[in-house]
Amino acid sequence: MTVDSQHPETIVLHAGYRADPATGSVAVPIYQTTSYQFRDTQHAADLFALKELGNIYTRIMNPTCDVLEKRVAALEGGVAGLALASGQSASAMALQNIAHAGDNVVSSTDLYGGTWNLFANTLKDQGIEVRFVDPSDPENFRRATDDRTRAYYAETLPNPKLAVFPIKEVADIGRPLGIPLIMDNTAAPILCRPLDHGAAVVVYSTTKYIGGHGTSIGGLIVDGGKFDWEAVPTRQPYLNQPDPSYHGAVWTQAVKGIGPVAYIIKARTTLLRDLGACMSPFNAFASIQGLETLPLRMREHCRNGMAVAEFLKGHPAVSRVIYPGLMDGEARRRADTYLKGGFGGLVGFELSGGRDAGRDFIDALKLLYHVANIGDARSLAIHPASTTHSQLEPEELAATGVSDGYVRLSIGLEHIDDILADLGQALHAATGMRAAAE
Ligand code: PLP
């Protein structure tokens, strides 16, 4: 049974699973198995020929992963999901599925650093050119497009700039050209459903808010099922021409009897089969535990995030606060259009004392963890100029939105009084140390 509720609170608890058919277990079991007994040789042949869908081998599918896939797909309003080993593998495979050597992708410049590396180096080495454009003008995507452009790519709520991406504007540019918009929604689950605004595909690092507990690396691709991959067949050759890696299947035709799932079935049966970056059943189980409380947690992340942003705004040691809920003009209009129920848990700010003040602030924190992660139930902090972005030149730092005194916070679920007390004492310690050193 699958739930037909439209409410995220219900979907995360019920979609895709209702008691284990073998045991009645209410919790989703961890199917820690590599392989599955075929009923007979015909059954095996039908599974391999995609005449019947079913379990073959855990590198390609697994019942625990299947629940996570169905649940996140239902949450996003999509038709199917694909669980992967990490967010990185989700971003890579989302593009490799439809772009090969000689093709290009147009991507927003506002990206997680790991995705930037993947696009600028590894995909480039594979012959896939990623063209980075400034998303503040959506028309930049059209300008960078040519005949070999296979996809547009962006993050809903990219840090450090935290400027919400113009999803509908860019999806509308791509659709008539046959170009899908792929959105990384890692920082804004529940707050935004990119598919509702015209995106074709959503990717997640489940490592972050979906898990929430900071125990398990994972990634997911959701196929929205609404993008017409056949509208401009020359634009999407790998879904419209015979695929030699699966005995000549033309994916848009091969899945007609199953549903609008050509994109995701191809990713599973070719790329996941060949590259093997599958999610482990245990990590799927852990991610499901997190997912079950995601709507509740996002409300608190947003509430605490806003309170922290307001607190920092009024603090004399802080020269600038970067938070969607405090932005003006077009950035604020996009935040209001695309984020519902709050502005998220990520808060950036700049210390007037620059790089030294940033380091002193981090070193003085007692409650907040100093880690390279976001979306944990615990509050986290990092000073990018001395860590994640320390190799960049000053002009590159400026382009990515990281100034010397920039600090990124991922605000968690602790009591707000304790979070503010820790931030307050660390700001005091950092600015006091600076004064003493001068
Ligand atoms: N996308 C975003 C927005 C991220 O923040 C991250 C990780 O920080 C990733 C993708 C990559 O995810 P993972 O670390 O699970 O590979």
Side-chain angles (χ1 to χ4, degrees):
M1 177 209 146
T2 49
V3 69
D4 56 10
S5 171
Q6 295 305 307
H7 299 293
E9 294 83 355
T10 309
I11 290 171
V12 294
L13 289 163
H14 294 281
Y17 177 82
R18 179 91 192 166
D20 179 42
T23 63
S25 167
V26 171
V28 178
I30 305 172
Y31 284 95
Q32 194 69 27
T33 181
T34 57
S35 34
Y36 307 86
Q37 165 82 352
F38 303 122
R39 288 195 301 271
D40 50 37
T41 50
Q42 188 59 49
H43 178 223
D46 287 348
L47 290 178
F48 276 88
L50 298 179
K51 285 189 186 147
E52 183 180 338
L53 291 184
N55 296 317
I56 298 175
Y57 188 60
T58 282
R59 172 158 30 85
I60 311 171
M61 72 282 283
N62 172 277
T64 312
C65 297
D66 181 60
V67 176
L68 179 67
E69 289 162 351
K70 290 201 167 101
R71 234 166 237 192
V72 178
L75 189 62
E76 291 299 319
V79 290
L82 182 63
L84 295 162
S86 64
Q88 284 298 101
S89 50
S91 311
M93 281 173 56
L95 291 177
Q96 289 167 324
N97 200 32
I98 49 174
H100 293 186
D103 297 331
N104 67 73
V105 169
V106 182
S107 169
S108 166
T109 44
D110 297 356
L111 293 175
Y112 160 61
T115 309
W116 182 283
N117 278 335
L118 166 71
F119 288 3
N121 300 298
T122 302
L123 289 188
K124 185 176 168 207
D125 289 346
Q126 294 175 356
I128 302 168
E129 179 199 356
V130 179
R131 302 174 173 182
F132 297 100
V133 298
D134 178 355
S136 58
D137 180 2
E139 284 299 318
N140 286 337
F141 279 77
R142 192 194 307 277
R143 289 183 198 110
T145 300
D146 68 14
D147 287 351
R148 296 293 296 266
T149 302
R150 303 286 181 234
Y152 294 159
Y153 189 98
E155 292 178 14
T156 307
L157 180 58
N159 74 70
K161 286 187 193 162
L162 300 178
V164 174
F165 184 78
I167 304 173
K168 178 177 185 309
E169 292 87 331
V170 174
D172 285 351
I173 293 172
R175 196 175 306 103
L177 304 171
I179 301 173
L181 173 62
I182 300 175
M183 289 300 306
D184 179 340
N185 203 43
T186 296
I190 304 292
L191 311 181
C192 179
R193 296 210 315 178
L195 301 175
D196 292 349
H197 302 288
V201 171
V202 171
V203 302
Y204 272 110
S205 164
T206 58
T207 315
K208 318 293 179 193
Y209 288 101
I210 288 184
H213 31 51
T215 65
S216 307
I217 299 281
L220 220 129
I221 304 178
V222 176
D223 186 339
K226 293 202 184 72
F227 190 79
D228 186 353
W229 302 98
E230 295 171 87
V232 188
T234 48
R235 180 68 76 178
Q236 300 298 338
Y238 318 112
L239 290 171
N240 286 293
Q241 291 170 11
D243 184 346
S245 98
Y246 217 96
H247 43 72
V250 176
W251 290 107
T252 46
Q253 306 306 315
V255 304
K256 280 260 148 78
I258 305 172
V261 287
Y263 172 88
I264 205 88
I265 293 264
K266 175 183 181 295
R268 184 187 294 283
T269 53
T270 63
L271 280 180
L272 186 55
R273 176 198 64 184
D274 297 349
L275 299 176
C278 59
M279 184 183 281
S280 80
F282 184 82
N283 278 11
F285 173 80
S287 306
I288 290 167
Q289 303 316 296
L291 183 64
E292 290 187 343
T293 57
L294 181 65
L296 204 60
R297 283 187 288 112
M298 288 311 291
R299 280 202 282 278
E300 288 301 302
H301 282 297
C302 290
R303 211 161 63 118
N304 282 350
M306 191 66 186
V308 165
E310 296 281 10
F311 167 80
L312 292 170
K313 198 175 116 192
H315 199 284
V318 174
S319 56
R320 193 159 82 99
V321 179
I322 300 109
Y323 189 66
L326 298 187
M327 289 176 183
D328 302 316
E330 182 60 14
R332 179 57 189 268
R333 188 195 68 74
R334 286 181 187 164
D336 286 338
T337 303
Y338 293 112
L339 303 182
K340 296 291 171 222
F343 298 101
L346 301 180
V347 183
F349 69 99
E350 281 173 19
L351 283 157
S352 0
R355 188 177 288 235
D356 289 343
R359 293 165 66 133
D360 292 346
F361 168 81
I362 296 281
D363 285 339
L365 289 169
K366 294 187 174 125
L367 181 73
L368 273 75
Y369 276 89
H370 177 205
V371 297
N373 194 22
I374 58 167
D376 199 294
R378 288 154 282 257
S379 292
L380 317 172
I382 199 153
H383 176 233
S386 63
T387 57
T388 50
H389 291 63
S390 55
Q391 279 92 42
L392 300 195
E393 298 301 326
E395 59 278 12
E396 291 175 314
L397 281 175
T400 54
V402 174
S403 67
D404 271 355
Y406 181 91
V407 174
R408 184 193 73 203
L409 304 174
S410 173
I411 297 301
L413 311 178
E414 301 92 343
H415 194 284
I416 189 62
D417 292 351
D418 296 325
I419 298 173
L420 296 185
D422 196 37
L423 293 174
Q425 68 78 24
L427 284 169
H428 183 262
T431 46
M433 279 182 218
R434 296 258 40 75
E438 278 154 16

